[in-house]
Structures are given as C-alpha cells and as structure tokens.
Amino acid sequence: MAEILDGKELAKKVRKDLKQEVDELKQKGICPKLAVIMVGDNSSSQVYVKNKSKACVKVGIEFEEFLLQESTTEKELLELIEKLNEDETIHGILLQSPVPKHIDINRAFRTIRPDKDVDGFNPINVGNLVIGEDCFVSCTPFGVMRLLEEYHIELEGKNAVILGRSNIVGKPMVQCLLAKNATITVCHSKTQKIHEILKNADVVISAIGKPHFVTGDMIKEGSVVIDVGINRLEDGRIVGDVEFETVSPKASYITPVPGGVGPMTVAMLLANVVKAAKIQNK
Ligand code: NAP
C-alpha cells in the first residue's frame, strides 16, 4: 500500500517556517504584501482567491484584492498592473486566471514585473527556469518538487511521465524534473497509447483535469503517483485525475485529493511572496 504524501501537513510546516521569516522581515520594517487581481466573477476563482487570502493572513503576509468587472478592458488591466509594479509596498502580483476572452492573458503576465511575478508566468521567469537560473517557479510544480524532496524521493535516472502540457503545470514540471536528472515523457490529448507509456513510469504526475483517468492497471508496481487534478463531480465531491482506490495498492507513494498538491501550491505562493519581498529589499 502506498505511503501518502501529505501535502496538507507539509504545507502547515512550510507556513510555520514562513511565519518566522515574515516576523523577522517585519522587525526590519518590511511587510511582505501580495496583490491579487481577479477579472470577472468566476466562482472557482473566488474560492481559490479566498484560500490564498486566508493563507496569507496565517503567516502575516498582507493581502490586497483587486476585483475588476468582466467588462474591464485589457488597457485598464495593464494600467493597474503597471501601477502595482511601481508600488513599493506591493511585493507580489498575481493575476488569477481565467480572464475574459477579450484580454490577452500572456500580455498581462508579460507586464507583471519579473521580480514581482510570484506565479512565475512572466516569460523572463519561464526562460530562467529553462536555463537553470534563479527565478520564480510556478507554484504547483514548485509545490510538487517540495513534496518529493520532503519524502526523500530520488528522481535521478528515473522515468517520469507528465500527463498534461499546460503552461502552469505540465511545462514547468518538465524543467523541474529535468533539473533533478529525471528522464521525462510528456503526454497530452493527442498522445497515443498512454497505457504503454505509463507502464515504464517510475514517477507519474497527472495534470489533465479528468476524474479517475489514471487507474491501477495503468501504472507500474512501486511507482510514485502525484495527482495534480482537481475535478468536481456531479455529486459535489472533489476528486483528482487518479483513481485512488485502485492506484494506491500498487504505488509506493501517492498524493491524495484533497490534501496533496493543492495545499502545497498555496504554500509555495506564500514562499514566493516572501522571496520577492527579500529580493526587493536586497
Ligand atoms: P489545462 O490547461 O486544461 O491542461 C490540461 C492538459 O491535459 C492539456 O495539456 C491537455 O492536452 C491534457 N489532456 C486533456 N485530456 C487529456 C487526455 N485524455 N489524455 C492526455 N492528456 C490530456 O489544465 P491545467 O490548468 O494544467 O490543470 C490540470 C488539472 O490540474 C485541472 O484539474 C486543474 O484544476 C488542476 N490544477 C490543480 C492545481 C493544484 O494546485 N492542485 C493547480 C493547477 C491546476 P492538450 O494540450 O493536447 O489540450
């Protein structure tokens, strides 16, 4: 039976350490602050933003929310970002996705100053991740790596299969695993015979957003299974991409949903805000 990679518990530990760092910064007159921008009233986004705000409060990070109407123009959004870029009391800027279709989200990410880009979506940070320079790493892959590290899971020489190639999870996950000398295969919606690819995987990271996609018969005995998916079923339950009941007896380690990657994503956002505050105050 797989050992559970307890993201909820580790996130608590990360927050405890961050709280101490924040207290020390405050003694030096620096109060880390995150600005979150939300455009339109997407109900999932509201839940995510609320969780982020609660987490900030727990460690003493200040939090300011900018709720813009659905009709906000791209120009207005970019002007707000520019204003926040210049505001010395704000250390991190996060634009919650999705944004309405008339806004080019990549343009907005490009406008966020790289040293305030705590989500790691500005191409400067994406590029620095690729070339192995210090940067802000997208919070979900960062959280997955922190979890693997905490449980001393060796990645060097391992076959890692990533399901999903999004800019926020799948692609940065590649760079993070590559930096640890794993050999990576990335699958997406056009990939053929995922079953066969998974049979060779020592590590499986699933980020596709399909409930119970990965089942026990698909994985190798003893593999490490990381479930990034967050899917709401019709009965209201939240499940991952992995069928926990059939996968956990075969895997060596597994993340639960909820309580696995989700809390780690938020914890790493806080870590990035603290890092941003330190960078900006040298
Ligand atoms: P996304 O942008 O929708 O990307 C989904 C990816 O999965 C795409 O690359 C897509 O392929 C691929 N895909 C879809 N169906 C597939 C299939 N049948 N077989 C193989 N690949 C398939 O999603 P995302 O933003 O990365 O999020 C993925 C999941 O993770 C969602 O459930 C989301 O809620 C969750 N999530 C969780 C956290 C967390 O903190 N735990 C953070 C972010 C996201 P194509 O590129 O070919 O379309």
Side-chain angles (χ1 to χ4, degrees):
M1 200 69 171
E3 182 175 344
I4 301 287
L5 297 172
D6 192 338
K8 198 171 166 193
E9 219 28 59
L10 178 56
K12 254 191 223 164
K13 185 174 153 190
V14 171
R15 281 198 305 267
K16 190 166 168 249
D17 293 346
L18 286 171
K19 174 139 189 5
Q20 199 173 334
E21 281 191 66
V22 171
D23 289 347
E24 283 165 16
L25 283 171
K26 283 184 176 168
Q27 276 165 20
K28 293 178 187 156
I30 302 161
C31 183
K33 183 169 177 183
L34 173 67
V36 172
I37 308 171
M38 199 161 72
V39 190
D41 52 359
N42 180 296
S43 59
S44 302
S45 294
Q46 281 167 1
V47 175
Y48 293 139
V49 171
K50 202 168 162 201
N51 286 342
K52 288 168 188 172
S53 121
K54 273 197 213 155
C56 280
V57 170
K58 275 187 194 159
V59 301
I61 293 176
E62 275 189 32
F63 182 92
E64 191 169 352
E65 217 174 305
F66 294 84
L67 301 176
L68 307 184
Q69 287 183 346
E70 184 87 20
S71 59
T72 302
T73 63
E74 185 177 292
K75 185 167 175 281
E76 286 166 336
L77 173 64
L78 298 188
E79 278 168 5
L80 171 63
I81 293 173
E82 299 281 11
K83 201 176 111 205
L84 298 173
N85 280 342
E86 276 158 35
D87 184 338
E88 283 186 6
T89 66
I90 304 267
H91 304 99
I93 304 172
L94 183 153
L95 172 62
Q96 184 66 43
S97 64
V99 294
K101 285 198 178 65
H102 63 272
I103 292 173
D104 176 352
I105 196 159
N106 285 331
R107 190 159 181 209
F109 288 148
R110 270 201 301 279
T111 307
I112 297 176
R113 224 172 76 181
D115 64 338
K116 293 193 176 189
D117 172 36
V118 286
D119 249 345
F121 296 158
N122 182 305
I124 298 282
N125 281 312
V126 176
N128 279 336
L129 179 64
V130 173
I131 63 171
E133 292 280 307
D134 185 44
C135 62
F136 287 110
V137 179
S138 171
C139 302
T140 301
F142 191 15
V144 170
M145 296 312 287
R146 181 68 182 80
L147 204 46
L148 292 170
E149 186 190 298
E150 182 73 13
Y151 285 82
H152 307 290
I153 294 171
E154 185 55 65
L155 294 166
E156 186 158 312
K158 297 288 161 62
N159 283 332
V161 174
I162 302 168
L163 304 178
R165 57 173 164 182
S166 70
N167 290 344
I168 66 166
V169 188
K171 286 178 191 161
M173 203 67 248
V174 173
Q175 303 306 329
C176 292
L177 291 168
L178 206 49
K180 295 289 177 193
N181 298 322
T183 302
I184 330 287
T185 306
V186 182
C187 301
H188 45 79
S189 65
K190 308 291 184 290
T191 304
Q192 309 270 315
K193 299 186 181 160
I194 289 183
H195 265 82
E196 285 180 18
I197 296 169
L198 283 180
K199 289 224 154 78
N200 274 325
D202 302 307
V203 179
V204 179
I205 315 255
S206 186
I208 59 176
K210 298 255 180 293
H212 303 147
F213 182 89
V214 179
T215 51
D217 58 318
M218 293 166 88
I219 66 150
K220 185 170 122 177
E221 195 79 41
S223 55
V224 175
V225 180
I226 307 290
D227 191 354
V228 177
I230 301 177
N231 309 295
R232 187 178 287 278
L233 299 180
E234 274 179 15
D235 63 10
R237 273 186 307 141
I238 300 285
V239 297
D241 293 347
V242 174
E243 192 178 63
F244 191 87
E245 299 71 27
T246 58
V247 171
S248 57
K250 261 181 106 177
S252 55
Y253 292 92
I254 190 167
T255 57
V257 176
V261 176
M264 287 307 296
T265 298
V266 181
M268 298 334 270
L269 168 68
L270 305 179
N272 278 348
V273 177
V274 171
K275 176 176 168 167
K278 284 183 175 170
I279 291 173
Q280 285 156 49
N281 288 281
K282 313 264 182 313

